[in-house]
Amino acid sequence: MKALVLAGGTGSRLRPITHTSAKQLVPVANKPVLFYVLESIVEAGITEVGIVLGDTAEEIRTAVERGGFGGLDITYLPQSAPLGLAHAVRIAKDFLGDDDFVMYLGDNFIIGGITDLVNEFRVRRPDAQILLTRVPDPTAFGVAELDEAGNVVGLEEKPEKPKSDLALVGVYLFTPAVHEAVRAITPSGRGELEITDAIQWLIDRHRDVRSTTISGYWKDTGNVVDMLEVNRTVLESIEPLVAGEVDEATEIVGRVRIDEGAVVRRSRIVGPAIIGPGAEITGSYVGPFTSISEECRIEDSEIEFSIVLPGSSLTGVGRVEASLIGRNVEVTPASRAPAAHRLILGDHSKVQISS
Protein backbone atom coordinates (compact mmCIF):
# COMPACT_ATOMS: atom_id res chain seq x y z
CA MET A 1 0.00 0.00 0.00
CA LYS A 2 1.21 3.49 -0.86
CA ALA A 3 0.42 7.00 0.37
CA LEU A 4 -0.37 10.10 -1.65
CA VAL A 5 0.13 13.33 0.29
CA LEU A 6 -1.29 16.54 -1.16
CA ALA A 7 0.93 19.54 -0.43
CA GLY A 8 0.27 21.81 -3.38
CA GLY A 9 -2.50 24.09 -2.10
CA THR A 10 -2.03 27.86 -2.01
CA GLY A 11 -3.26 28.42 1.56
CA SER A 12 -5.32 31.51 0.77
CA ARG A 13 -7.07 31.41 4.18
CA LEU A 14 -3.72 31.69 5.99
CA ARG A 15 -2.51 34.77 4.16
CA PRO A 16 -0.35 36.76 4.64
CA ILE A 17 1.66 33.90 6.23
CA THR A 18 1.35 31.83 3.05
CA HIS A 19 2.45 34.62 0.75
CA THR A 20 5.99 33.57 1.63
CA SER A 21 5.65 30.04 3.03
CA ALA A 22 3.81 26.78 2.39
CA LYS A 23 0.72 26.31 4.55
CA GLN A 24 1.70 22.69 5.21
CA LEU A 25 4.89 23.93 6.92
CA VAL A 26 3.25 26.28 9.43
CA PRO A 27 4.28 24.74 12.77
CA VAL A 28 2.05 23.29 15.45
CA ALA A 29 3.93 22.92 18.75
CA ASN A 30 7.03 23.91 16.75
CA LYS A 31 6.65 21.09 14.20
CA PRO A 32 5.21 21.53 10.69
CA VAL A 33 1.71 20.14 10.17
CA LEU A 34 3.03 18.12 7.22
CA PHE A 35 5.43 16.28 9.54
CA TYR A 36 2.52 14.99 11.64
CA VAL A 37 0.98 13.63 8.42
CA LEU A 38 4.19 11.84 7.41
CA GLU A 39 4.66 10.45 10.92
CA SER A 40 1.16 8.96 10.90
CA ILE A 41 1.91 7.33 7.54
CA VAL A 42 5.09 5.79 8.95
CA GLU A 43 3.16 4.52 12.00
CA ALA A 44 0.65 2.85 9.64
CA GLY A 45 3.46 0.80 8.10
CA ILE A 46 3.51 2.56 4.74
CA THR A 47 6.95 3.28 3.25
CA GLU A 48 6.26 4.50 -0.31
CA VAL A 49 4.95 8.06 -0.38
CA GLY A 50 4.17 10.41 -3.24
CA ILE A 51 4.00 14.10 -2.34
CA VAL A 52 2.08 16.33 -4.75
CA LEU A 53 3.73 19.75 -4.92
CA GLY A 54 2.78 23.17 -6.29
CA ASP A 55 4.41 26.59 -6.19
CA THR A 56 6.10 25.91 -2.84
CA ALA A 57 7.76 22.72 -4.10
CA GLU A 58 11.35 23.63 -3.27
CA GLU A 59 10.53 24.77 0.27
CA ILE A 60 8.60 21.57 1.03
CA ARG A 61 11.27 19.31 -0.46
CA THR A 62 13.96 21.01 1.61
CA ALA A 63 11.93 20.76 4.83
CA VAL A 64 11.07 17.08 4.31
CA GLU A 65 14.64 16.15 3.46
CA ARG A 66 15.82 17.85 6.66
CA GLY A 67 13.01 16.37 8.73
CA GLY A 68 14.49 12.94 9.30
CA PHE A 69 12.21 10.87 7.08
CA GLY A 70 15.02 8.73 5.67
CA GLY A 71 12.93 5.59 6.20
CA LEU A 72 10.41 6.71 3.59
CA ASP A 73 10.80 6.21 -0.13
CA ILE A 74 9.50 9.60 -1.30
CA THR A 75 8.56 10.56 -4.85
CA TYR A 76 7.81 14.22 -5.56
CA LEU A 77 4.99 14.84 -8.04
CA PRO A 78 4.70 18.37 -9.50
CA GLN A 79 1.19 19.72 -10.12
CA SER A 80 1.02 22.67 -12.52
CA ALA A 81 -1.93 24.25 -10.69
CA PRO A 82 -4.32 23.30 -7.85
CA LEU A 83 -6.91 21.71 -10.13
CA GLY A 84 -8.62 19.48 -7.59
CA LEU A 85 -7.98 16.37 -5.52
CA ALA A 86 -9.01 14.04 -8.35
CA HIS A 87 -6.53 15.81 -10.61
CA ALA A 88 -3.82 14.98 -8.08
CA VAL A 89 -4.77 11.31 -8.36
CA ARG A 90 -4.58 11.57 -12.16
CA ILE A 91 -1.06 12.95 -12.20
CA ALA A 92 0.04 10.35 -9.64
CA LYS A 93 -1.14 7.38 -11.73
CA ASP A 94 2.35 6.23 -12.74
CA PHE A 95 3.57 6.41 -9.14
CA LEU A 96 0.50 4.63 -7.72
CA GLY A 97 0.37 1.92 -10.38
CA ASP A 98 -2.01 -0.90 -9.41
CA ASP A 99 -1.50 -0.50 -5.67
CA ASP A 100 -4.04 0.43 -3.03
CA PHE A 101 -3.32 3.82 -1.48
CA VAL A 102 -4.28 6.30 1.21
CA MET A 103 -4.66 9.91 0.10
CA TYR A 104 -3.93 12.38 2.91
CA LEU A 105 -4.31 16.16 2.66
CA GLY A 106 -1.08 17.67 3.95
CA ASP A 107 -2.76 20.37 6.05
CA ASN A 108 -5.14 18.05 7.91
CA PHE A 109 -4.58 16.92 11.47
CA ILE A 110 -6.01 13.79 13.11
CA ILE A 111 -5.24 12.91 16.71
CA GLY A 112 -4.41 9.22 16.98
CA GLY A 113 -3.20 8.77 13.41
CA ILE A 114 -4.58 6.49 10.69
CA THR A 115 -3.15 3.07 11.59
CA ASP A 116 -6.47 1.44 12.57
CA LEU A 117 -8.16 2.82 9.47
CA VAL A 118 -5.42 1.51 7.17
CA ASN A 119 -5.45 -1.92 8.83
CA GLU A 120 -9.21 -2.17 8.44
CA PHE A 121 -8.97 -1.21 4.78
CA ARG A 122 -6.26 -3.79 4.11
CA VAL A 123 -8.59 -6.50 5.38
CA ARG A 124 -11.87 -5.46 3.72
CA ARG A 125 -10.58 -3.65 0.60
CA PRO A 126 -13.67 -1.70 -0.50
CA ASP A 127 -13.18 0.30 -3.70
CA ALA A 128 -13.18 3.47 -1.61
CA GLN A 129 -13.36 4.29 2.08
CA ILE A 130 -13.96 7.81 3.35
CA LEU A 131 -13.71 9.40 6.78
CA LEU A 132 -16.59 11.52 8.03
CA THR A 133 -17.12 13.78 11.01
CA ARG A 134 -20.02 15.91 12.15
CA VAL A 135 -19.49 19.66 11.76
CA PRO A 136 -21.64 22.69 12.63
CA ASP A 137 -21.27 24.28 9.15
CA PRO A 138 -21.10 21.63 6.40
CA THR A 139 -21.21 24.20 3.58
CA ALA A 140 -17.42 24.61 3.80
CA PHE A 141 -16.71 20.90 3.16
CA GLY A 142 -17.50 17.92 1.01
CA VAL A 143 -20.69 16.44 2.51
CA ALA A 144 -21.86 12.82 2.58
CA GLU A 145 -25.43 11.53 2.56
CA LEU A 146 -26.04 8.14 4.16
CA ASP A 147 -29.12 5.91 3.89
CA GLU A 148 -30.86 4.34 6.89
CA ALA A 149 -28.43 1.42 6.82
CA GLY A 150 -25.45 3.75 6.93
CA ASN A 151 -24.42 3.24 3.30
CA VAL A 152 -22.98 6.16 1.34
CA VAL A 153 -25.53 7.18 -1.28
CA GLY A 154 -24.39 10.67 -2.23
CA LEU A 155 -21.55 13.16 -2.00
CA GLU A 156 -21.55 16.87 -2.70
CA GLU A 157 -18.72 19.41 -2.62
CA LYS A 158 -19.39 22.56 -0.56
CA PRO A 159 -23.19 22.49 -1.03
CA GLU A 160 -25.33 25.55 -0.37
CA LYS A 161 -28.00 23.31 1.18
CA PRO A 162 -26.26 20.31 2.76
CA LYS A 163 -28.21 17.06 3.06
CA SER A 164 -26.38 16.15 6.27
CA ASP A 165 -23.85 17.48 8.75
CA LEU A 166 -21.30 14.77 7.85
CA ALA A 167 -18.19 16.37 6.38
CA LEU A 168 -15.43 14.50 4.60
CA VAL A 169 -12.17 14.43 6.54
CA GLY A 170 -9.06 14.88 4.41
CA VAL A 171 -8.11 11.18 4.40
CA TYR A 172 -9.32 8.76 1.72
CA LEU A 173 -8.45 5.13 0.94
CA PHE A 174 -8.74 3.64 -2.53
CA THR A 175 -8.11 0.55 -4.60
CA PRO A 176 -7.01 1.05 -8.24
CA ALA A 177 -10.72 1.28 -9.15
CA VAL A 178 -10.53 5.03 -8.47
CA HIS A 179 -8.32 5.60 -11.51
CA GLU A 180 -11.20 4.79 -13.87
CA ALA A 181 -13.39 7.19 -11.91
CA VAL A 182 -10.99 10.15 -12.04
CA ARG A 183 -10.57 9.64 -15.80
CA ALA A 184 -14.34 9.66 -16.31
CA ILE A 185 -15.30 12.87 -14.50
CA THR A 186 -15.20 16.44 -15.81
CA PRO A 187 -14.34 19.68 -13.98
CA SER A 188 -16.92 21.06 -11.59
CA GLY A 189 -18.31 24.58 -11.59
CA ARG A 190 -15.24 25.57 -9.59
CA GLY A 191 -13.04 24.42 -12.48
CA GLU A 192 -11.62 21.53 -10.47
CA LEU A 193 -11.72 17.75 -10.72
CA GLU A 194 -13.48 16.94 -7.46
CA ILE A 195 -12.67 13.74 -5.60
CA THR A 196 -16.29 13.76 -4.41
CA ASP A 197 -17.41 13.47 -8.05
CA ALA A 198 -15.05 10.54 -8.57
CA ILE A 199 -16.38 8.73 -5.50
CA GLN A 200 -19.95 9.51 -6.60
CA TRP A 201 -19.09 7.93 -9.98
CA LEU A 202 -18.16 4.74 -8.10
CA ILE A 203 -21.39 4.88 -6.05
CA ASP A 204 -23.53 5.32 -9.16
CA ARG A 205 -21.97 2.15 -10.61
CA HIS A 206 -22.67 0.19 -7.43
CA ARG A 207 -19.05 -0.13 -6.44
CA ASP A 208 -18.19 -0.77 -2.81
CA VAL A 209 -17.87 2.64 -1.10
CA ARG A 210 -17.75 2.64 2.69
CA SER A 211 -17.47 5.29 5.36
CA THR A 212 -16.12 5.58 8.89
CA THR A 213 -17.50 8.33 11.11
CA ILE A 214 -14.83 9.47 13.54
CA SER A 215 -15.58 11.07 16.87
CA GLY A 216 -11.95 11.88 17.67
CA TYR A 217 -10.12 15.10 17.04
CA TRP A 218 -9.77 16.33 13.44
CA LYS A 219 -8.98 19.75 12.06
CA ASP A 220 -8.35 21.26 8.66
CA THR A 221 -5.60 23.72 9.59
CA GLY A 222 -6.38 26.00 6.68
CA ASN A 223 -7.17 29.07 8.77
CA VAL A 224 -5.70 30.86 11.78
CA VAL A 225 -8.48 29.93 14.22
CA ASP A 226 -8.13 26.20 13.52
CA MET A 227 -4.33 26.41 13.51
CA LEU A 228 -4.36 27.89 17.01
CA GLU A 229 -6.86 25.27 18.15
CA VAL A 230 -4.67 22.42 16.89
CA ASN A 231 -1.67 24.01 18.58
CA ARG A 232 -3.66 24.10 21.83
CA THR A 233 -4.61 20.43 21.51
CA VAL A 234 -1.08 19.22 20.80
CA LEU A 235 0.44 21.29 23.60
CA GLU A 236 -1.92 19.67 26.10
CA SER A 237 -0.02 16.40 25.68
CA ILE A 238 3.60 17.60 25.66
CA GLU A 239 6.02 16.23 28.21
CA PRO A 240 7.63 18.84 30.49
CA LEU A 241 11.33 19.38 29.77
CA VAL A 242 13.85 22.03 30.71
CA ALA A 243 16.88 21.50 28.48
CA GLY A 244 17.69 25.18 28.03
CA GLU A 245 19.05 27.78 30.45
CA VAL A 246 16.58 29.10 33.04
CA ASP A 247 17.64 31.52 35.78
CA GLU A 248 16.46 31.50 39.40
CA ALA A 249 14.27 34.55 38.88
CA THR A 250 12.10 32.65 36.39
CA GLU A 251 8.90 30.82 37.38
CA ILE A 252 7.84 27.73 35.40
CA VAL A 253 4.25 26.55 35.93
CA GLY A 254 2.67 23.41 34.42
CA ARG A 255 3.61 21.58 31.21
CA VAL A 256 6.44 23.59 29.72
CA ARG A 257 9.12 22.44 27.30
CA ILE A 258 12.22 24.60 26.99
CA ASP A 259 14.47 23.19 24.28
CA GLU A 260 18.24 23.05 24.34
CA GLY A 261 19.83 26.39 23.48
CA ALA A 262 16.90 28.47 24.73
CA VAL A 263 17.53 31.08 27.43
CA VAL A 264 14.86 32.31 29.87
CA ARG A 265 15.54 35.13 32.33
CA ARG A 266 13.31 36.91 34.87
CA SER A 267 10.16 35.57 33.25
CA ARG A 268 7.03 33.59 34.01
CA ILE A 269 6.15 30.67 31.72
CA VAL A 270 2.75 29.05 32.26
CA GLY A 271 2.09 25.84 30.37
CA PRO A 272 1.24 24.15 28.29
CA ALA A 273 3.86 26.01 26.28
CA ILE A 274 6.98 25.33 24.27
CA ILE A 275 10.10 27.46 23.82
CA GLY A 276 12.22 26.46 20.83
CA PRO A 277 16.00 26.17 20.44
CA GLY A 278 17.90 29.45 20.51
CA ALA A 279 14.92 31.47 21.74
CA GLU A 280 15.47 34.19 24.34
CA ILE A 281 12.75 35.13 26.82
CA THR A 282 13.60 38.10 29.09
CA GLY A 283 11.39 39.88 31.61
CA SER A 284 8.27 38.50 29.97
CA TYR A 285 5.17 36.40 30.47
CA VAL A 286 4.47 33.46 28.14
CA GLY A 287 1.03 32.07 28.85
CA PRO A 288 -0.79 28.80 28.13
CA PHE A 289 -1.12 27.30 24.64
CA THR A 290 1.80 29.26 23.21
CA SER A 291 4.50 27.99 20.86
CA ILE A 292 7.63 30.11 20.54
CA SER A 293 9.77 28.85 17.65
CA GLU A 294 13.53 28.72 17.33
CA GLU A 295 15.65 31.88 17.45
CA CYS A 296 12.77 34.07 18.65
CA ARG A 297 13.19 36.90 21.18
CA ILE A 298 10.50 37.95 23.66
CA GLU A 299 11.50 40.89 25.88
CA ASP A 300 9.37 42.90 28.35
CA SER A 301 6.22 41.52 26.73
CA GLU A 302 3.23 39.25 27.37
CA ILE A 303 1.88 36.60 25.00
CA GLU A 304 -0.47 33.63 25.24
CA PHE A 305 -2.58 31.30 23.06
CA SER A 306 -0.37 32.14 20.08
CA ILE A 307 2.17 30.76 17.61
CA VAL A 308 5.37 32.66 16.87
CA LEU A 309 7.40 31.44 13.89
CA PRO A 310 11.22 31.34 13.72
CA GLY A 311 13.33 34.46 14.02
CA SER A 312 10.62 36.83 15.25
CA SER A 313 10.72 39.22 18.19
CA LEU A 314 8.32 41.00 20.55
CA THR A 315 9.90 43.85 22.49
CA GLY A 316 8.14 46.06 25.02
CA VAL A 317 4.60 45.23 23.93
CA GLY A 318 1.59 44.59 26.16
CA ARG A 319 -0.71 41.63 25.98
CA VAL A 320 -0.67 39.66 22.70
CA GLU A 321 -3.08 36.74 22.39
CA ALA A 322 -4.78 34.51 19.80
CA SER A 323 -2.14 35.51 17.26
CA LEU A 324 -0.16 33.81 14.50
CA ILE A 325 3.10 35.71 13.96
CA GLY A 326 5.18 34.87 10.90
CA ARG A 327 8.91 34.45 10.37
CA ASN A 328 11.38 37.25 11.12
CA VAL A 329 8.67 39.63 12.33
CA GLU A 330 9.44 42.53 14.67
CA VAL A 331 6.69 43.69 17.05
CA THR A 332 7.45 46.88 19.01
CA PRO A 333 5.40 49.65 20.70
CA ALA A 334 4.04 52.47 18.60
CA SER A 335 5.41 55.93 19.34
CA ARG A 336 3.12 57.90 21.60
CA ALA A 337 1.56 61.04 20.18
CA PRO A 338 0.54 63.82 22.59
CA ALA A 339 -2.98 63.18 23.85
CA ALA A 340 -5.53 65.87 22.95
CA HIS A 341 -9.27 66.35 22.65
CA ARG A 342 -10.86 68.47 19.92
CA LEU A 343 -14.23 69.84 20.98
CA ILE A 344 -17.05 71.81 19.40
CA LEU A 345 -19.58 72.43 22.16
CA GLY A 346 -22.84 74.27 22.25
CA ASP A 347 -23.89 76.69 24.99
CA HIS A 348 -24.53 75.29 28.47
CA SER A 349 -22.82 71.96 27.64
CA LYS A 350 -21.51 69.66 30.37
CA VAL A 351 -18.56 67.42 29.42
CA GLN A 352 -16.64 64.89 31.48
CA ILE A 353 -13.19 63.93 30.19
CA SER A 354 -11.11 61.22 31.83
CA SER A 355 -7.50 62.16 32.42
Side-chain angles (χ1 to χ4, degrees):
M1 192 169 185
K2 294 176 179 175
L4 184 65
V5 176
L6 275 56
T10 58
S12 58
R13 291 178 295 160
L14 276 174
R15 290 173 182 161
I17 300 292
T18 49
H19 279 311
T20 54
S21 180
K23 65 176 180 177
Q24 298 83 6
L25 297 182
V26 176
V28 168
N30 287 1
K31 182 164 62 178
V33 173
L34 179 61
F35 285 16
Y36 292 97
V37 171
L38 295 175
E39 287 171 358
S40 69
I41 288 169
V42 171
E43 290 167 1
I46 300 171
T47 59
E48 293 184 77
V49 180
I51 302 181
V52 177
L53 301 175
D55 293 340
T56 58
E58 193 59 35
E59 183 186 13
I60 289 178
R61 287 184 65 138
T62 299
V64 171
E65 288 165 5
R66 292 176 178 173
F69 297 100
L72 291 178
D73 180 5
I74 297 177
T75 299
Y76 295 99
L77 306 165
Q79 187 180 30
S80 58
L83 298 175
L85 306 189
H87 181 263
V89 176
R90 275 193 187 183
I91 67 170
K93 176 63 175 70
D94 290 344
F95 162 75
L96 296 168
D98 294 325
D99 293 313
D100 297 348
F101 67 98
V102 55
M103 182 170 73
Y104 202 141
L105 274 60
D107 60 352
N108 273 228
F109 189 93
I110 299 176
I111 289 285
I114 60 170
T115 300
D116 291 344
L117 179 73
V118 168
N119 290 340
E120 177 186 348
F121 182 83
R122 282 173 164 147
V123 172
R124 298 184 178 181
R125 291 197 71 236
D127 293 302
Q129 184 161 350
I130 58 177
L131 262 68
L132 305 174
T133 191
R134 298 191 183 278
V135 296
D137 180 16
T139 60
F141 303 94
V143 176
E145 180 184 3
L146 308 183
D147 64 16
E148 294 182 355
N151 300 310
V152 184
V153 295
L155 296 174
E156 196 172 3
E157 188 66 30
K158 296 181 174 62
E160 292 184 6
K161 297 181 179 180
K163 296 178 180 179
S164 80
D165 63 350
L166 291 169
L168 276 76
V169 173
V171 177
Y172 309 78
L173 297 104
F174 297 110
T175 68
V178 75
H179 295 300
E180 183 180 3
V182 299
R183 286 196 304 269
I185 63 173
T186 57
S188 67
R190 302 193 306 158
E192 297 185 5
L193 292 171
E194 311 284 4
I195 198 65
T196 46
D197 289 346
I199 299 171
Q200 185 67 52
W201 189 91
L202 293 171
I203 294 170
D204 293 343
R205 284 149 187 81
H206 307 291
R207 306 299 292 265
D208 188 6
V209 176
R210 303 186 185 185
S211 68
T212 300
T213 301
I214 63 173
S215 57
Y217 187 87
W218 163 78
K219 280 289 183 183
D220 171 359
T221 61
N223 62 58
V224 173
V225 172
D226 287 339
M227 183 69 69
L228 293 174
E229 178 63 20
V230 171
N231 186 64
R232 181 192 66 78
T233 300
V234 175
L235 287 177
E236 286 181 335
S237 62
I238 66 168
E239 292 298 324
L241 171 70
V242 178
E245 178 185 335
V246 179
D247 70 3
E248 294 182 355
T250 292
E251 181 183 10
I252 305 293
V253 181
R255 290 178 175 269
V256 175
R257 193 177 92 195
I258 300 175
D259 289 331
E260 187 175 356
V263 177
V264 184
R265 304 184 184 93
R266 306 186 316 278
S267 297
R268 188 167 191 258
I269 316 294
V270 179
I274 181 171
I275 311 297
E280 294 185 16
I281 315 295
T282 306
S284 295
Y285 167 78
V286 176
F289 312 121
T290 302
S291 294
I292 307 295
S293 297
E294 61 189 48
E295 305 299 331
C296 288
R297 185 167 59 87
I298 313 295
E299 184 174 353
D300 297 328
S301 300
E302 298 183 4
I303 184 169
E304 70 176 36
F305 191 51
S306 295
I307 299 173
V308 184
L309 274 59
S312 292
S313 65
L314 284 75
T315 306
V317 296
R319 193 75 155 200
V320 173
E321 60 183 32
S323 298
L324 175 58
I325 297 172
R327 293 169 175 81
N328 302 309
V329 171
E330 295 182 5
V331 182
T332 58
S335 58
R336 292 187 177 182
H341 303 282
R342 183 172 183 267
L343 307 175
I344 301 175
L345 302 174
D347 296 345
H348 310 294
S349 296
K350 292 183 179 180
V351 178
Q352 293 182 324
I353 298 177
S354 59
S355 56

